[in-house]
Amino acid sequence: MPLMNRRLVQRLIWERASQLTITYRGGPLAPRGVARPRPGDRVPDLECRVDGRPTRLYAELGRGWALLAADPAQRTACADIAAGQLGAVARLEPLAGRDEASLIRPDGHLAWRGRRRAALGEWLAGVLSPPRRERAAAR
């Protein structure tokens, strides 16, 4: 049997070609020690609502960043913080309950997840500000 006809080889080729198994976990934007999916991991396409109408996460990601949170106050506050730094952010309510907010990148990877909106602001400030050595060189 030729090597290319083996299921394992075909699956590995499919995974590499589709890029659905790519992760940015361990990169500079992905904090460590967080449950699955972790920042940097691809988020599964979820059923959710936007402004009361049913939609899917990936249908909204085509427009930019998305903030996913079940609690309306948390969703609004976190989306406002993210929008102040990133531009327009879709405010999505997951159909399956989640007790924390998730900021999803336009490419479908989890950027940040947490319960405190202040933590989102801190994370965005840290990620979007230039490193200290670049600030010192600019003076």
Side-chain angles (χ1 to χ4, degrees):
M1 173 186 261
L3 180 63
M4 298 302 284
N5 289 338
R6 294 181 184 262
R7 279 186 191 256
L8 175 65
V9 173
Q10 290 176 352
R11 183 176 56 84
L12 292 173
I13 291 170
W14 177 85
E15 286 176 356
R16 181 70 56 113
S18 69
Q19 298 186 357
L20 292 176
T21 57
I22 289 177
T23 181
Y24 297 97
R25 187 187 309 169
L29 304 180
R32 298 184 193 325
V34 180
R36 295 199 120 196
R38 296 179 189 157
D41 288 349
R42 189 171 188 82
V43 177
D45 191 15
L46 304 169
E47 293 181 8
C48 47
R49 283 188 286 262
V50 62
D51 298 326
R53 69 172 170 77
T55 187
R56 305 233 14 126
L57 172 62
Y58 282 17
E60 301 303 319
L61 286 178
R63 298 175 181 94
W65 293 78
L67 193 289
L68 193 65
D71 178 52
Q74 183 185 38
R75 187 170 53 250
T76 298
C78 288
D80 287 347
I81 290 169
Q85 298 290 321
L86 303 171
V89 175
R91 300 157 192 246
L92 305 175
E93 176 187 359
L95 294 185
R98 292 175 174 255
D99 60 346
E100 55 190 7
S102 299
L103 181 63
I104 315 296
R105 298 178 357 182
D107 65 359
H109 288 82
L110 180 63
W112 174 88
R113 184 175 68 202
R115 291 182 177 86
R116 296 180 24 250
R117 60 180 173 227
L120 173 59
E122 293 167 7
W123 179 81
L124 284 167
V127 168
L128 298 177
S129 65
R132 288 190 175 110
R133 63 179 171 269
E134 287 181 24
R135 287 191 300 243
R139 291 183 192 163

